[in-house]
Amino acid sequence: MISIVKDLAAEALFVSSIQPSECPTRKAVEQAVTAMLLLHGSDGCAAEVATEFGDHPEVAVRRMHWVNEELTGVVAPAHALT
């Protein structure tokens, strides 16, 4: 279940306006994820990610790498819950 939550959070952060150059705080990341999920829903976030990967794959790959780095520690890994 944690991997599903992390996937949803990654898609939501990906479509947010936060940029890596902002060096966002954990709170800013959490707020951006929440705002994008409320605005677009999970399906809408996934659709936006797919569009970006189709239109700008080279940029999308770099952004998704950054997104995953940002979410490390924000969404608890499964083994940390036991």
Side-chain angles (χ1 to χ4, degrees):
M1 176 141 138
I2 295 298
S3 65
I4 294 169
V5 171
K6 187 172 181 183
D7 291 346
L8 289 173
E11 291 166 352
L13 183 57
F14 183 96
V15 301
S16 76
S17 63
I18 291 182
Q19 297 299 310
S21 60
E22 295 176 42
C23 299
T25 63
R26 178 182 176 145
K27 184 173 182 161
V29 168
E30 290 172 350
Q31 289 174 336
V33 167
T34 300
M36 292 300 98
L37 286 172
L38 290 172
L39 180 65
H40 298 291
S42 60
D43 290 344
C45 289
E48 291 288 327
V49 170
T51 298
E52 283 302 308
F53 269 93
D55 293 347
H56 310 286
E58 66 289 339
V59 176
V61 168
R62 285 193 307 269
R63 182 155 178 89
M64 189 55 81
H65 178 72
W66 170 76
V67 162
N68 286 317
E69 290 289 319
E70 284 297 310
L71 291 177
T72 300
V74 173
V75 177
H79 67 275
L81 298 176
T82 57

Coordinates of all heavy atoms in Angstrom, one line a residue:
M1 N 0.8 -1.2 0.0 CA 0.0 0.0 0.0 C 0.9 1.3 0.0 O 0.5 2.2 -0.6 CB -0.9 0.0 1.2 CG -1.7 1.3 1.3 SD -3.4 1.0 1.8 CE -3.5 2.3 2.9
I2 N 2.0 1.2 0.7 CA 2.9 2.4 0.7 C 3.3 2.8 -0.7 O 3.4 3.9 -1.0 CB 4.0 2.2 1.7 CG1 3.6 2.0 3.1 CG2 5.1 3.3 1.6 CD1 2.8 3.3 3.7
S3 N 3.6 1.8 -1.5 CA 4.1 2.1 -2.8 C 3.0 2.8 -3.6 O 3.3 3.7 -4.5 CB 4.6 0.8 -3.6 OG 3.5 -0.1 -3.8
I4 N 1.7 2.5 -3.4 CA 0.7 3.2 -4.1 C 0.6 4.6 -3.7 O 0.5 5.5 -4.5 CB -0.7 2.5 -3.9 CG1 -0.7 1.1 -4.5 CG2 -1.8 3.3 -4.4 CD1 -1.8 0.2 -4.1
V5 N 0.7 4.8 -2.4 CA 0.7 6.2 -1.8 C 1.9 7.0 -2.4 O 1.8 8.1 -2.8 CB 0.7 6.2 -0.3 CG1 0.9 7.6 0.3 CG2 -0.5 5.5 0.2
K6 N 3.1 6.4 -2.4 CA 4.2 7.1 -3.0 C 4.1 7.4 -4.5 O 4.4 8.4 -4.9 CB 5.5 6.2 -2.7 CG 6.8 7.0 -3.1 CD 8.0 6.3 -2.8 CE 9.2 7.2 -3.2 NZ 10.5 6.5 -2.9
D7 N 3.5 6.4 -5.2 CA 3.2 6.7 -6.6 C 2.3 7.9 -6.8 O 2.5 8.7 -7.7 CB 2.7 5.4 -7.3 CG 3.7 4.3 -7.4 OD1 4.9 4.5 -7.2 OD2 3.2 3.2 -7.7
L8 N 1.2 7.9 -6.0 CA 0.3 9.0 -6.1 C 1.0 10.4 -5.7 O 0.8 11.4 -6.4 CB -0.9 8.8 -5.2 CG -1.9 7.7 -5.6 CD1 -2.9 7.5 -4.5 CD2 -2.6 8.1 -6.9
A9 N 1.8 10.3 -4.7 CA 2.5 11.5 -4.3 C 3.5 12.0 -5.3 O 3.6 13.2 -5.6 CB 3.2 11.3 -3.0
A10 N 4.1 11.0 -6.0 CA 5.1 11.4 -7.0 C 4.4 12.0 -8.2 O 4.9 13.0 -8.7 CB 5.8 10.1 -7.5
E11 N 3.3 11.5 -8.6 CA 2.6 12.1 -9.7 C 2.1 13.5 -9.4 O 2.2 14.4 -10.2 CB 1.4 11.2 -10.1 CG 1.8 9.9 -10.8 CD 0.7 8.9 -10.9 OE1 -0.4 9.1 -10.3 OE2 1.0 7.8 -11.5
A12 N 1.6 13.6 -8.2 CA 1.1 14.9 -7.7 C 2.2 16.0 -7.6 O 2.1 17.1 -8.1 CB 0.4 14.8 -6.4
L13 N 3.4 15.6 -7.1 CA 4.5 16.5 -7.0 C 5.0 16.8 -8.4 O 5.4 18.0 -8.7 CB 5.6 15.9 -6.1 CG 6.8 16.8 -5.9 CD1 6.4 18.2 -5.3 CD2 7.8 16.1 -5.0
F14 N 5.0 15.9 -9.3 CA 5.5 16.0 -10.6 C 4.7 17.2 -11.3 O 5.3 18.0 -12.0 CB 5.4 14.7 -11.4 CG 5.9 14.8 -12.8 CD1 7.2 14.4 -13.1 CD2 5.1 15.3 -13.9 CE1 7.7 14.5 -14.4 CE2 5.6 15.3 -15.2 CZ 6.8 14.9 -15.4
V15 N 3.4 17.2 -11.1 CA 2.5 18.1 -11.8 C 2.4 19.5 -11.1 O 1.9 20.4 -11.6 CB 1.1 17.6 -12.2 CG1 1.2 16.4 -13.0 CG2 0.3 17.3 -10.9
S16 N 3.0 19.6 -9.9 CA 3.0 20.8 -9.2 C 3.9 21.8 -9.8 O 4.7 21.5 -10.7 CB 3.4 20.6 -7.7 OG 4.8 20.4 -7.6
S17 N 3.8 23.1 -9.3 CA 4.7 24.1 -9.9 C 6.0 24.2 -9.1 O 6.9 25.0 -9.5 CB 4.0 25.5 -9.8 OG 3.7 25.8 -8.5
I18 N 6.2 23.4 -8.1 CA 7.5 23.5 -7.3 C 8.6 23.1 -8.2 O 8.5 22.1 -9.0 CB 7.4 22.5 -6.1 CG1 6.5 23.1 -5.1 CG2 8.8 22.4 -5.5 CD1 6.4 22.3 -3.8
Q19 N 9.7 23.8 -8.2 CA 10.9 23.6 -9.0 C 12.0 23.1 -8.1 O 12.1 23.6 -6.9 CB 11.3 24.8 -9.7 CG 10.3 25.3 -10.8 CD 10.0 24.2 -11.8 OE1 11.0 23.7 -12.4 NE2 8.8 23.9 -12.0
P20 N 12.9 22.3 -8.6 CA 14.1 21.9 -7.8 C 14.9 23.0 -7.3 O 15.5 23.0 -6.2 CB 14.9 21.0 -8.8 CG 13.9 20.5 -9.8 CD 12.9 21.7 -9.9
S21 N 15.0 24.1 -8.0 CA 15.8 25.2 -7.6 C 15.3 25.9 -6.4 O 16.0 26.7 -5.7 CB 15.9 26.3 -8.8 OG 14.6 26.7 -9.1
E22 N 14.0 25.7 -6.0 CA 13.4 26.2 -4.8 C 13.9 25.5 -3.5 O 13.7 26.1 -2.5 CB 11.9 26.2 -4.9 CG 11.3 27.0 -6.0 CD 9.8 26.8 -6.1 OE1 9.1 26.7 -5.0 OE2 9.3 26.6 -7.2
C23 N 14.5 24.4 -3.7 CA 14.9 23.6 -2.5 C 13.8 23.6 -1.5 O 13.9 24.0 -0.4 CB 16.2 24.1 -1.9 SG 17.6 24.1 -3.0
P24 N 12.6 23.0 -1.9 CA 11.4 23.0 -1.0 C 11.6 22.3 0.3 O 12.3 21.3 0.3 CB 10.3 22.4 -1.9 CG 11.1 21.5 -2.8 CD 12.4 22.2 -3.1
T25 N 10.9 22.8 1.3 CA 10.9 22.1 2.6 C 10.0 20.9 2.5 O 9.2 20.8 1.5 CB 10.4 23.0 3.7 OG1 9.0 23.4 3.4 CG2 11.2 24.3 3.8
R26 N 10.0 20.0 3.5 CA 9.1 18.9 3.5 C 7.7 19.3 3.5 O 6.8 18.8 2.9 CB 9.5 18.0 4.7 CG 8.6 16.8 4.9 CD 8.9 16.0 6.1 NE 8.0 14.9 6.3 CZ 8.3 13.8 6.8 NH1 9.5 13.5 7.2 NH2 7.4 12.8 6.9
K27 N 7.4 20.4 4.3 CA 6.1 20.9 4.4 C 5.6 21.4 3.1 O 4.4 21.2 2.7 CB 6.0 22.0 5.5 CG 4.6 22.5 5.7 CD 4.5 23.5 6.8 CE 3.1 23.9 7.0 NZ 2.8 24.5 8.3
A28 N 6.4 22.1 2.3 CA 6.1 22.6 1.0 C 5.7 21.5 0.1 O 4.8 21.6 -0.7 CB 7.2 23.5 0.4
V29 N 6.5 20.4 0.1 CA 6.3 19.2 -0.7 C 4.9 18.6 -0.3 O 4.1 18.3 -1.2 CB 7.4 18.2 -0.6 CG1 7.1 16.9 -1.2 CG2 8.7 18.8 -1.2
E30 N 4.7 18.4 0.9 CA 3.4 17.8 1.4 C 2.2 18.7 1.0 O 1.2 18.2 0.5 CB 3.4 17.7 2.9 CG 4.4 16.6 3.4 CD 4.5 16.5 4.9 OE1 4.0 17.5 5.6 OE2 5.1 15.6 5.4
Q31 N 2.4 20.0 1.1 CA 1.3 20.9 0.7 C 1.1 20.9 -0.8 O -0.1 20.9 -1.3 CB 1.6 22.4 1.1 CG 1.5 22.5 2.6 CD 1.9 23.9 3.1 OE1 2.7 24.6 2.4 NE2 1.4 24.3 4.2
A32 N 2.1 20.8 -1.6 CA 2.0 20.7 -3.1 C 1.3 19.4 -3.5 O 0.4 19.4 -4.4 CB 3.4 20.8 -3.7
V33 N 1.7 18.3 -2.9 CA 1.1 17.0 -3.2 C -0.4 17.1 -2.9 O -1.2 16.7 -3.7 CB 1.8 15.9 -2.4 CG1 1.0 14.6 -2.5 CG2 3.2 15.7 -3.0
T34 N -0.7 17.6 -1.7 CA -2.2 17.7 -1.3 C -2.9 18.5 -2.3 O -4.0 18.2 -2.7 CB -2.3 18.2 0.1 OG1 -1.6 17.3 1.0 CG2 -3.7 18.3 0.6
A35 N -2.4 19.7 -2.6 CA -3.1 20.6 -3.5 C -3.3 20.0 -4.8 O -4.4 20.2 -5.4 CB -2.3 21.9 -3.6
M36 N -2.3 19.4 -5.4 CA -2.5 18.8 -6.7 C -3.5 17.6 -6.7 O -4.3 17.5 -7.7 CB -1.1 18.3 -7.3 CG -0.2 19.5 -7.6 SD -0.8 20.6 -8.8 CE -1.4 22.0 -7.8
L37 N -3.5 16.8 -5.7 CA -4.5 15.7 -5.6 C -5.9 16.3 -5.5 O -6.8 15.7 -6.1 CB -4.1 14.8 -4.5 CG -2.9 13.9 -4.7 CD1 -2.5 13.1 -3.5 CD2 -3.2 12.9 -5.9
L38 N -6.0 17.3 -4.7 CA -7.4 18.0 -4.6 C -7.8 18.6 -5.9 O -9.0 18.6 -6.3 CB -7.4 19.0 -3.4 CG -7.3 18.4 -2.0 CD1 -7.1 19.5 -1.0 CD2 -8.5 17.5 -1.7
L39 N -6.8 19.2 -6.6 CA -7.2 19.9 -7.8 C -7.4 19.0 -9.0 O -8.4 19.1 -9.7 CB -6.0 20.9 -8.2 CG -6.2 21.7 -9.5 CD1 -7.3 22.7 -9.3 CD2 -4.9 22.4 -9.8
H40 N -6.6 18.0 -9.2 CA -6.6 17.1 -10.4 C -7.2 15.7 -10.1 O -7.6 15.0 -11.0 CB -5.2 17.0 -11.0 CG -4.6 18.2 -11.5 ND1 -5.1 18.9 -12.5 CD2 -3.5 18.9 -11.0 CE1 -4.3 20.0 -12.7 NE2 -3.4 20.0 -11.8
G41 N -7.1 15.3 -8.8 CA -7.5 13.9 -8.5 C -6.3 13.0 -9.0 O -5.4 13.4 -9.7
S42 N -6.4 11.8 -8.5 CA -5.3 10.9 -8.9 C -5.2 10.6 -10.4 O -4.1 10.5 -10.9 CB -5.4 9.6 -8.1 OG -6.6 8.9 -8.4
D43 N -6.3 10.4 -11.0 CA -6.3 10.1 -12.5 C -5.8 11.4 -13.2 O -5.1 11.2 -14.2 CB -7.7 9.8 -12.9 CG -8.2 8.4 -12.5 OD1 -7.3 7.6 -12.0 OD2 -9.4 8.1 -12.5
G44 N -6.2 12.5 -12.8 CA -5.8 13.8 -13.5 C -4.3 14.0 -13.4 O -3.6 14.4 -14.3
C45 N -3.7 13.7 -12.2 CA -2.3 13.8 -12.0 C -1.5 12.8 -12.9 O -0.6 13.2 -13.6 CB -1.9 13.6 -10.6 SG -2.3 14.9 -9.4
A46 N -2.0 11.6 -13.0 CA -1.4 10.6 -13.8 C -1.5 11.0 -15.3 O -0.5 10.8 -16.1 CB -2.1 9.2 -13.6
A47 N -2.6 11.5 -15.7 CA -2.8 12.0 -17.1 C -1.8 13.1 -17.4 O -1.2 13.1 -18.5 CB -4.2 12.4 -17.4
E48 N -1.6 14.0 -16.5 CA -0.6 15.1 -16.7 C 0.8 14.6 -16.9 O 1.6 15.1 -17.7 CB -0.7 16.2 -15.6 CG -2.0 16.9 -15.6 CD -2.1 18.0 -16.7 OE1 -1.1 18.5 -17.1 OE2 -3.2 18.2 -17.1
V49 N 1.1 13.6 -16.0 CA 2.5 13.0 -16.1 C 2.6 12.4 -17.4 O 3.7 12.6 -18.1 CB 2.7 12.0 -14.9 CG1 4.0 11.2 -15.1 CG2 2.7 12.7 -13.6
A50 N 1.7 11.6 -17.9 CA 1.8 10.9 -19.2 C 1.9 11.9 -20.3 O 2.7 11.7 -21.2 CB 0.5 10.1 -19.4
T51 N 1.2 13.0 -20.2 CA 1.3 14.0 -21.3 C 2.7 14.6 -21.3 O 3.3 14.8 -22.4 CB 0.3 15.2 -21.0 OG1 -1.0 14.6 -21.1 CG2 0.4 16.3 -22.1
E52 N 3.3 14.9 -20.2 CA 4.6 15.5 -20.1 C 5.7 14.5 -20.7 O 6.6 14.9 -21.4 CB 5.0 15.9 -18.7 CG 4.3 17.2 -18.4 CD 4.7 18.4 -19.3 OE1 5.9 18.6 -19.6 OE2 3.8 19.0 -19.8
F53 N 5.5 13.2 -20.3 CA 6.5 12.2 -20.8 C 6.3 12.1 -22.3 O 7.3 11.8 -23.0 CB 6.3 10.9 -20.1 CG 7.1 10.7 -18.9 CD1 6.7 11.1 -17.6 CD2 8.4 10.3 -19.0 CE1 7.5 10.9 -16.5 CE2 9.3 10.1 -17.9 CZ 8.8 10.5 -16.6
G54 N 5.1 12.2 -22.8 CA 4.9 12.2 -24.3 C 5.5 13.4 -25.0 O 6.1 13.3 -26.1
D55 N 5.2 14.6 -24.4 CA 5.6 15.8 -25.1 C 7.1 16.2 -24.8 O 7.7 16.7 -25.7 CB 4.7 17.0 -24.6 CG 3.3 16.8 -25.0 OD1 3.0 16.0 -25.9 OD2 2.5 17.6 -24.5
H56 N 7.6 15.9 -23.7 CA 9.0 16.4 -23.3 C 9.7 15.3 -22.5 O 10.0 15.5 -21.3 CB 8.9 17.6 -22.4 CG 8.0 18.7 -23.0 ND1 8.5 19.5 -24.1 CD2 6.8 19.1 -22.7 CE1 7.5 20.3 -24.4 NE2 6.5 20.2 -23.6
P57 N 9.9 14.1 -23.1 CA 10.5 13.0 -22.3 C 11.8 13.3 -21.6 O 12.0 12.8 -20.5 CB 10.6 11.9 -23.3 CG 10.6 12.5 -24.7 CD 9.8 13.8 -24.5
E58 N 12.7 14.0 -22.3 CA 14.0 14.3 -21.6 C 13.9 15.1 -20.4 O 14.6 14.9 -19.4 CB 14.9 14.9 -22.7 CG 14.6 16.3 -23.1 CD 13.3 16.4 -24.0 OE1 13.0 15.5 -24.7 OE2 12.8 17.5 -24.1
V59 N 12.9 16.1 -20.4 CA 12.7 16.9 -19.2 C 11.9 16.1 -18.1 O 12.2 16.2 -16.9 CB 12.0 18.2 -19.6 CG1 11.6 19.0 -18.4 CG2 12.8 19.0 -20.6
A60 N 11.0 15.4 -18.6 CA 10.1 14.6 -17.7 C 10.9 13.6 -16.9 O 10.7 13.4 -15.7 CB 9.0 13.9 -18.4
V61 N 11.9 13.0 -17.5 CA 12.7 12.0 -16.8 C 13.5 12.7 -15.7 O 13.6 12.2 -14.6 CB 13.7 11.2 -17.8 CG1 14.7 10.4 -17.0 CG2 12.9 10.3 -18.7
R62 N 14.1 13.8 -16.0 CA 14.9 14.5 -15.0 C 14.0 15.0 -13.8 O 14.3 14.9 -12.7 CB 15.6 15.8 -15.6 CG 16.8 15.4 -16.4 CD 17.7 16.6 -16.7 NE 16.9 17.7 -17.3 CZ 16.8 17.9 -18.7 NH1 17.3 17.0 -19.5 NH2 16.1 18.9 -19.1
R63 N 12.8 15.5 -14.2 CA 11.9 15.9 -13.1 C 11.4 14.8 -12.2 O 11.3 14.9 -11.0 CB 10.6 16.6 -13.7 CG 9.7 17.2 -12.7 CD 8.9 18.3 -13.1 NE 7.9 18.8 -12.1 CZ 8.2 19.7 -11.2 NH1 9.4 20.3 -11.1 NH2 7.3 20.1 -10.3
M64 N 11.1 13.6 -12.8 CA 10.6 12.5 -12.1 C 11.8 12.0 -11.1 O 11.5 11.6 -10.0 CB 10.1 11.3 -12.9 CG 9.5 10.2 -12.2 SD 8.1 10.7 -11.1 CE 6.7 10.9 -12.2
H65 N 13.0 12.0 -11.6 CA 14.1 11.7 -10.8 C 14.2 12.6 -9.6 O 14.3 12.1 -8.4 CB 15.4 11.7 -11.6 CG 16.6 11.4 -10.7 ND1 16.9 10.1 -10.3 CD2 17.6 12.2 -10.2 CE1 18.0 10.2 -9.6 NE2 18.5 11.4 -9.5
W66 N 14.0 13.9 -9.8 CA 14.0 14.9 -8.7 C 12.9 14.6 -7.7 O 13.0 14.6 -6.5 CB 13.9 16.3 -9.2 CG 13.7 17.3 -8.2 CD1 14.6 17.8 -7.3 CD2 12.4 17.9 -7.8 NE1 14.0 18.7 -6.4 CE2 12.7 18.8 -6.7 CE3 11.2 17.8 -8.4 CZ2 11.7 19.5 -6.2 CZ3 10.2 18.6 -7.8 CH2 10.4 19.4 -6.7
V67 N 11.7 14.3 -8.3 CA 10.5 14.0 -7.5 C 10.7 12.9 -6.6 O 10.4 12.9 -5.4 CB 9.3 13.8 -8.4 CG1 8.2 13.0 -7.7 CG2 8.7 15.1 -9.0
N68 N 11.3 11.8 -7.1 CA 11.6 10.6 -6.3 C 12.6 10.9 -5.2 O 12.5 10.4 -4.1 CB 12.0 9.4 -7.1 CG 10.8 8.8 -7.9 OD1 9.8 8.7 -7.3 ND2 11.0 8.5 -9.1
E69 N 13.6 11.7 -5.5 CA 14.5 12.2 -4.5 C 13.8 13.0 -3.4 O 14.1 12.8 -2.2 CB 15.7 13.0 -5.1 CG 16.6 12.2 -6.0 CD 17.5 11.3 -5.2 OE1 18.0 11.7 -4.1 OE2 17.7 10.1 -5.6
E70 N 13.0 13.9 -3.7 CA 12.3 14.7 -2.8 C 11.4 13.9 -1.9 O 11.2 14.2 -0.7 CB 11.4 15.8 -3.5 CG 12.2 16.9 -4.0 CD 12.9 17.7 -2.9 OE1 12.3 18.1 -1.9 OE2 14.1 17.9 -3.1
L71 N 10.8 12.8 -2.4 CA 9.8 12.0 -1.6 C 10.5 11.0 -0.7 O 9.8 10.4 0.1 CB 8.8 11.3 -2.6 CG 7.9 12.3 -3.3 CD1 7.0 11.5 -4.2 CD2 7.0 13.1 -2.3
T72 N 11.8 10.8 -0.9 CA 12.5 9.9 0.0 C 12.4 10.5 1.4 O 12.8 11.6 1.6 CB 14.0 9.8 -0.5 OG1 14.0 9.2 -1.8 CG2 14.7 8.8 0.5
G73 N 11.9 9.7 2.3 CA 11.7 10.2 3.7 C 10.4 10.9 4.0 O 10.0 10.9 5.1
V74 N 9.7 11.4 2.9 CA 8.4 12.0 3.1 C 7.4 10.9 3.2 O 6.5 11.0 4.1 CB 8.1 13.0 2.0 CG1 6.7 13.5 2.2 CG2 9.1 14.2 2.0
V75 N 7.4 10.0 2.3 CA 6.5 8.8 2.4 C 7.4 7.7 3.0 O 8.4 7.3 2.4 CB 6.0 8.5 1.0 CG1 5.1 7.2 1.1 CG2 5.3 9.6 0.4
A76 N 7.0 7.2 4.1 CA 7.7 6.2 4.9 C 7.8 4.9 4.1 O 6.8 4.4 3.6 CB 7.1 5.9 6.2
P77 N 9.0 4.4 4.0 CA 9.2 3.0 3.4 C 8.5 2.0 4.2 O 8.3 2.1 5.4 CB 10.7 2.8 3.3 CG 11.3 3.8 4.3 CD 10.3 4.9 4.5
A78 N 8.0 0.9 3.5 CA 7.3 -0.1 4.2 C 8.0 -0.7 5.4 O 7.3 -1.0 6.4 CB 6.9 -1.2 3.2
H79 N 9.3 -1.0 5.3 CA 10.0 -1.6 6.4 C 10.0 -0.7 7.7 O 10.2 -1.2 8.8 CB 11.4 -2.0 6.0 CG 12.3 -0.9 5.7 ND1 12.3 -0.3 4.4 CD2 13.2 -0.3 6.4 CE1 13.2 0.6 4.4 NE2 13.7 0.7 5.6
A80 N 9.8 0.6 7.5 CA 9.9 1.5 8.7 C 8.6 1.4 9.5 O 8.6 1.9 10.6 CB 10.1 3.0 8.2
L81 N 7.6 0.8 8.9 CA 6.3 0.7 9.6 C 6.2 -0.5 10.5 O 5.3 -0.6 11.3 CB 5.1 0.7 8.6 CG 5.0 2.0 7.8 CD1 3.9 1.8 6.7 CD2 4.7 3.2 8.6
T82 N 7.1 -1.4 10.4 CA 7.1 -2.6 11.2 C 7.9 -2.5 12.5 O 8.6 -1.6 12.7 CB 7.6 -3.8 10.4 OG1 8.9 -3.6 10.0 CG2 6.7 -4.1 9.3

